[in-house]
Amino acid sequence: SECKNIKFFKTEIFILNKRNDKKFQFSVDLADTKLKREIGLQCKKRLKENEGMLFIWKSEDQRYFWMKNTKFYLDIIFINSDFEIVDIYFNAIPFSLLNISSSRKAKYVLELNKGVFENFDLMIGDKLLLQKK
């Protein structure tokens, strides 16, 4: 299967809660090619609380996601080229074929376990901080 042949690189990212200046760290797999973005989290059985996947495109655009073959509930966080969170889709349902789209253009999309985002009191307008290579 594709899952055996594809290797995601991991990195640490932070989200800055702008209201209280707190940073929250996540360990993410990078989906930075067309193939990796198409496979996404389908190969994983579960995520730890602070794990996720960061999808990266070269430019901002409308982004569309679905949960086909994805085995657990997710929050899908849409982030613009200024690293600001511009839209959030909560509780995406495993295996659902519903088309989930961003209301604003996004360059990055972060997928986390459902509830993690709210547990950390994060919201639209908060910022993604990438580790500099």
Side-chain angles (χ1 to χ4, degrees):
S1 75
E2 285 173 319
C3 290
K4 294 207 176 24
N5 302 331
I6 193 154
K7 179 85 180 91
F8 288 94
F9 294 99
K10 264 201 180 327
T11 191
E12 303 302 310
I13 62 164
F14 297 87
I15 294 180
L16 175 65
N17 177 323
K18 294 210 304 208
R19 290 173 317 291
N20 60 20
D21 224 29
K22 273 199 192 142
K23 278 187 205 169
F24 298 95
Q25 183 169 355
F26 300 95
S27 177
V28 295
D29 286 338
L30 294 177
D32 53 1
T33 67
K34 188 169 188 289
L35 178 64
K36 288 179 182 182
R37 290 190 296 262
E38 281 169 7
I39 290 180
L41 287 168
Q42 292 177 32
C43 300
K44 289 205 184 270
K45 292 192 172 52
R46 69 190 63 78
L47 286 175
K48 296 195 185 106
E49 188 185 29
N50 71 330
E51 284 182 333
M53 182 167 280
L54 184 67
F55 296 77
I56 302 173
W57 287 266
K58 293 206 166 38
S59 60
E60 269 185 348
D61 208 344
Q62 200 73 33
R63 301 293 168 207
Y64 299 93
F65 279 73
W66 66 348
M67 295 290 288
K68 186 183 178 189
N69 300 331
T70 304
K71 301 168 185 69
F72 38 86
Y73 288 86
L74 292 174
D75 288 344
I76 302 174
I77 297 131
F78 298 92
I79 300 160
N80 69 14
S81 55
D82 294 325
F83 303 103
E84 278 180 346
I85 294 171
V86 292
D87 197 12
I88 307 158
Y89 185 93
F90 292 106
N91 294 348
I93 296 166
F95 304 107
S96 167
L97 301 184
L98 177 75
N99 200 347
I100 296 166
S101 68
S102 54
S103 62
R104 313 265 300 276
K105 289 185 174 181
K107 181 174 178 181
Y108 308 94
V109 173
L110 176 62
E111 291 185 340
L112 299 173
N113 274 317
K114 80 166 177 126
V116 169
F117 199 75
E118 281 181 319
N119 290 348
F120 290 143
D121 194 29
L122 293 165
M123 61 189 284
I124 287 175
D126 287 343
K127 297 244 1 186
L128 170 70
L129 307 173
L130 295 177
Q131 290 280 67
K132 294 289 173 267
K133 294 250 174 347

